[in-house]
Amino acid sequence: MSVNRTRPAGRHDRRGPETVPPQRRTPQRMLRPHHWFAERLLAVLSGQRPVHWMLGHTIGEAYDQLAELAPTTPLRARGARPVVRQCHGAQPAPGVVEACASIAAGEQVRAMAFRLEQGPDLRWRCAAVELGTPTPPTK
């Protein structure tokens, strides 16, 4: 009696271990700048990272805006961990991206708007950030 040790019992497909499908998650280096910044800004505003984590990624008043928003934002509240649901960006001028993102924490949804500017070194930096008021949960 021969036992097939290449597949778990009850499995009948022909796919072997070497044909595992690729991961669907997009690597950070391949994201558009506004998607990358939305995740970073959320990490600071939700208390997962300290404000100074954004020091090299902000210009102008953006760092001061983050420092003012971070300690008081409801995104720091206990409960569901906030996530970026959607993020959209528009390029009104070369080297400028104005973006908005919807942030969900459980049933609560907030809007976040921010502006990115590309410096002479071709690095993107956040120039402004704002948080909208929360929407009440739907019943």
Side-chain angles (χ1 to χ4, degrees), residues 55-72:
L55 261 175
H57 302 286
T58 56
I59 56 174
E61 296 179 15
Y63 184 80
D64 296 332
Q65 291 168 334
L66 273 174
E68 186 178 317
L69 286 171
T72 60

Side-chain angles (χ1 to χ4, degrees), residues 6-64:
T6 61
R7 288 185 200 91
R11 184 169 157 189
H12 301 289
D13 64 345
R14 302 252 182 231
R15 191 179 64 171
E18 69 279 352
T19 60
V20 175
Q23 295 290 330
R24 297 215 185 268
R25 186 172 169 92
T26 305
Q28 286 287 340
R29 61 183 161 65
M30 297 181 72
L31 291 175
R32 292 184 176 169
H34 56 280
H35 291 276
W36 187 81
F37 269 91
E39 294 289 345
R40 287 186 78 89
L41 291 168
L42 178 59
V44 170
L45 293 172
S46 64
Q48 297 170 40
R49 294 286 187 164
V51 177
H52 69 266
W53 189 55
M54 290 295 290
L55 261 175
H57 302 286
T58 56
I59 56 174
E61 296 179 15
Y63 184 80
D64 296 332

Side-chain angles (χ1 to χ4, degrees), residues 50-104:
V51 177
H52 69 266
W53 189 55
M54 290 295 290
L55 261 175
H57 302 286
T58 56
I59 56 174
E61 296 179 15
Y63 184 80
D64 296 332
Q65 291 168 334
L66 273 174
E68 186 178 317
L69 286 171
T72 60
T73 181
L75 295 174
R76 295 176 76 93
R78 297 189 188 271
R81 184 175 178 171
V83 295
V84 176
R85 283 194 348 185
Q86 293 181 358
C87 185
H88 301 282
Q91 197 165 10
V96 175
V97 172
E98 292 181 348
C100 62
S102 61
I103 309 297

